[in-house]
Structure formats: C-alpha cells, structure tokens
C-alpha cells in the first residue's frame, strides 16, 4: 500500500485560476434537461488502462507561521474495471500494477448513483454518518462515493455532469474526507480535508482535480484551517504495460470483495453510519482482508464467519 514512486511531472496550472474556474462552474444554473444515460456513458469513459500522474501543491497558507509543505509528485500504472453498470448506478474499481514484477494492489473504488437519496459523510474521527440528501441537491445529479483499498468509506460528493463546449465534466459539492494516505503517515497538524472534486473526460483519458482545504477539527466543533491545496491526477491511456495480472487478480477475487462490500453496506445503507476502531491508517482491517483475498486468489476458501470476525473487531455503528 505504499504510494507509487516519485517521478518527474509537467508543470501545473496556477491553482488560484483553477479554483476560480471551478467556483464559476459550480455556480452556473442547471437549466439543461437531465440526461442520465449520457452521464452514465461519461462515467464509463473512465474505465481502461492508464499511466497516472499524481501531483499535490499547497497554495494558500492560512495558519500564522505555517510553512508550505513540499510539493508531492508520484505516479503509477492503474486499470479501472467496471464492477457494476446500471442505468442509475455504476461502480468502478481501480487496481495498481507494478510493471516489472506484475504485483497487483487493490486501490480505490468509486460508486456513482443517480439521484441518490442519501450518502455517508466524514463527520468525526474515524466516523462516517449517513445523511439524507435534499431533493434540490440530488435532482438530476450523480453522487460519487469513494472507498479505500479495504472498501472502507472515504468520502462522497454530489453534482451534475455538464457538457459545456462538448467537454464532459462533473463537479461535486463541498464535502469532508479523512487525511489521505500520503499525508497521515507524516502529518499530525490537521485531521480532515474539506474538498471539492472535479472529474473531466479528456482526450486520451480523464482527469481528477481536488480543491482541498486542510483543517484541524476539534471535538467541540471548532475548526482551524491550515492551508489550501490543489491536487491533480492525470489518467492517460497506457499501452506499454501488461495489465493482465490485474485482470486475473480481479477475476479471482471479485466475489470475495463483493462479500466484503456487502458488510460495509450494512452499516452505510442508512443512519446512523459507522465508526472504525482502527488507527488512522486502517491497517488493522486492511491487513487481514488483504490476507484473506490472497488466500482466495490462491484457490482457498474464506468463510463468511472469517470476514465477519474482522468486522466485529474493528467496526461498530456510529454513535
């Protein structure tokens, strides 16, 4: 689960200009008629085999005396597989492949639901609360929910796909998420991100832009903003890497991970949500679930009771 190795990357556009653009996009009215089938095709356009560039730059410094963190650059080879494809719900699973060894790492998963009635939100430390969505927010909109490598929840956002000038772009509303893995292994000065996400279908692939504010949230509701950050993940179609190991891994383990997801969904189908009793890195759950998936990949059986035992130890309903 280590991040991909650092590599050189192209310069980024000024984050301030991009942020102004996203605010302008988000404020545009929703006069166009909803077209969920067109939207579904846009979501499906993210499937495929990619070389991914990951770039994160702190932009505006908000806390007195705070020093800008170094820019982060990394990359990887990733396949996006369609797990579920329906008229109102699409599920995409990401898998990383190490080209030289062929080692496969199950990466993040994104679920898209049209006019979702509810979603989970990162409400407190290691806690996700399920909340109903108001009709004015979700009408004609898709809610994207993102899950980490163990299929534990990360964040959701709700927004409408737009097609201005023929470019398919989805912008989510502001939402909360826990620290990403690239940060919580080395940072303790903030504990949550306030985020707006934007996905754009582009020539040769697609992009994921993140407009992040790093925040220290206190149990009394007080918030201290540390810095703003612009993240840019660039997915470009890749024909130079053999992704067959990833496809074989998913064929062997998809049924197992569906069983894991079913257990998460029992907590996330309605209020109150869930709280994880693991540390911030979540490794107490990631390790046993990955070990079980490895056994399944080798043709061994993993009983439901074994999966249940992991959840019973580390997950409970939200307070």
């Amino acid at each position: 689960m280590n991040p991909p190795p650092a590599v050189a990357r192209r310069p980024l556009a000024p984050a301030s200009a991009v942020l102004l653009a996203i605010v302008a996009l988000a404020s545009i009215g929703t006069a166009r008629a909803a077209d969920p089938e067109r939207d579904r095709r846009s979501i499906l356009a993210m499937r495929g085999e990619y070389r991914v560039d990951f770039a994160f730059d702190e932009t505006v410094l908000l806390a007195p005396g705070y020093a800008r963190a170094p820019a982060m650059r990394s990359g990887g080879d990733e396949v996006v597989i369609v797990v579920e494809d329906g008229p109102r719900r699409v599920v995409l699973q990401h898998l990383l492949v190490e080209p030289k060894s062929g080692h496969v790492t199950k990466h993040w998963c994104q679920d898209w639901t049209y006019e979702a009635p509810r979603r989970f939100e990162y409400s407190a430390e290691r806690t996700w609360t399920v909340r109903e969505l108001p009709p004015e927010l979700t009408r004609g909109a898709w809610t994207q929910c993102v899950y980490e490598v163990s299929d534990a929840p990360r964040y959701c956002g709700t927004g409408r796909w737009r097609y201005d000038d023929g470019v398919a772009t989805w912008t989510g509303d502001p939402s909360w998420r826990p620290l990403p893995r690239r940060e919580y292994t080395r940072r303790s000065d903030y504990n949550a991100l306030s985020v707006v996400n934007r996905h754009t279908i582009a020539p040769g692939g697609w992009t994921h832009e993140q407009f992040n504010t790093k925040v220290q949230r206190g149990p009394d509701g007080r918030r201290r903003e540390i810095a703003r950050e612009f993240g840019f993940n660039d997915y470009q179609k890749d024909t130079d890497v053999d992704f067959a190991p990833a496809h074989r891994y998913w064929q062997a383990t998809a049924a197992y991970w569906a069983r894991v997801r079913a257990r998460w969904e029992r907590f996330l189908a309605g209020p109150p949500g869930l709280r994880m009793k693991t540390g911030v890195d979540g490794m107490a759950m990631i390790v046993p679930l990955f070990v079980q998936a490895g056994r399944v990949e080798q043709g061994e059986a993993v009983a439901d009771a074994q999966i249940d035992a992991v959840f019973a130890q580390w997950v409970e309903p939200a307070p």
Side-chain angles (χ1 to χ4, degrees), residues 7 73 138 184 204 213 234 240 244 257 276 280 289 316:
V7 291
R73 300 290 185 271
T138 194
Y184 64 60
T213 301
D234 189 12
D240 296 328
W257 287 112
M276 293 183 65
V280 67
L289 293 179
E316 65 184 5

Side-chain angles (χ1 to χ4, degrees), residues 221-261:
R222 293 185 181 181
R223 300 173 184 172
R224 180 174 181 263
E225 295 187 351
I226 304 296
R228 292 178 189 155
E229 176 187 71
F230 175 58
F232 183 65
N233 301 339
D234 189 12
Y235 290 75
Q236 290 294 313
K237 287 291 179 66
D238 188 347
T239 58
D240 296 328
V241 172
D242 181 10
F243 286 92
H247 292 283
R248 288 195 297 268
Y249 173 86
W250 191 248
Q251 184 176 14
T253 64
Y256 167 80
W257 287 112
R259 292 157 67 197
V260 172
R261 279 295 300 272

Side-chain angles (χ1 to χ4, degrees), residues 109-124:
C109 179
Q110 48 175 322
D111 290 11
W112 294 81
T113 303
Y114 184 66
E115 295 186 341
R118 65 189 63 86
R119 72 185 187 192
F120 59 79
E121 297 179 0
Y122 186 58
S123 55

Side-chain angles (χ1 to χ4, degrees), residues 38-258:
R38 186 182 187 184
D39 298 344
R40 186 187 69 87
R41 293 195 300 269
S42 297
I43 295 167
L44 289 173
M46 287 185 277
R47 65 183 165 188
E49 300 171 345
Y50 299 97
R51 172 62 184 173
V52 191
D53 291 347
F54 304 100
F56 294 89
D57 292 80
E58 289 191 349
T59 55
V60 183
L61 308 184
L62 302 170
Y66 178 79
R68 179 177 283 107
M72 300 187 69
R73 300 290 185 271
S74 62
D77 296 283
E78 190 157 305
V79 60
V80 182
I81 295 173
V82 177
V83 176
E84 183 177 339
D85 177 16
R88 300 175 70 92
R89 178 174 165 85
V90 178
V91 178
L92 304 176
Q93 176 65 56
H94 295 235
L95 300 166
L96 285 166
V97 176
E98 206 292 313
K100 292 183 179 180
S101 67
H103 178 74
V104 178
T105 301
K106 180 178 175 293
H107 206 196
W108 61 296
C109 179
Q110 48 175 322
D111 290 11
W112 294 81
T113 303
Y114 184 66
E115 295 186 341
R118 65 189 63 86
R119 72 185 187 192
F120 59 79
E121 297 179 0
Y122 186 58
S123 55
E125 287 296 294
R126 309 301 292 152
T127 302
W128 287 261
T129 302
V130 176
R131 294 195 172 99
E132 302 296 317
L133 292 175
E136 60 271 17
L137 175 64
T138 194
R139 188 178 299 113
W142 289 78
T143 293
Q144 181 210 44
C145 289
V146 168
Y147 303 80
E148 66 164 274
V149 297
S150 65
D151 286 328
R154 293 292 291 172
Y155 63 88
C156 295
T158 301
R160 294 168 180 83
W161 283 88
R162 298 192 61 84
Y163 299 92
D164 302 294
D165 300 319
V167 177
T169 299
W170 173 90
T171 305
D173 64 329
S175 60
W176 290 101
R177 59 177 287 187
L179 272 64
R181 189 167 299 275
R182 60 186 166 82
E183 288 278 76
Y184 64 60
T185 56
R186 64 187 187 91
R187 297 284 293 267
S188 60
D189 55 343
Y190 77 101
N191 59 8
L193 283 172
S194 175
V195 178
V196 171
N197 288 286
R198 181 167 68 186
H199 288 242
T200 299
I201 309 304
W206 57 281
T207 63
H208 175 198
E209 296 164 272
Q210 302 176 39
F211 303 87
N212 303 331
T213 301
K214 299 179 178 182
V215 182
Q216 182 67 42
R217 296 195 306 190
D220 58 358
R222 293 185 181 181
R223 300 173 184 172
R224 180 174 181 263
E225 295 187 351
I226 304 296
R228 292 178 189 155
E229 176 187 71
F230 175 58
F232 183 65
N233 301 339
D234 189 12
Y235 290 75
Q236 290 294 313
K237 287 291 179 66
D238 188 347
T239 58
D240 296 328
V241 172
D242 181 10
F243 286 92
H247 292 283
R248 288 195 297 268
Y249 173 86
W250 191 248
Q251 184 176 14
T253 64
Y256 167 80
W257 287 112

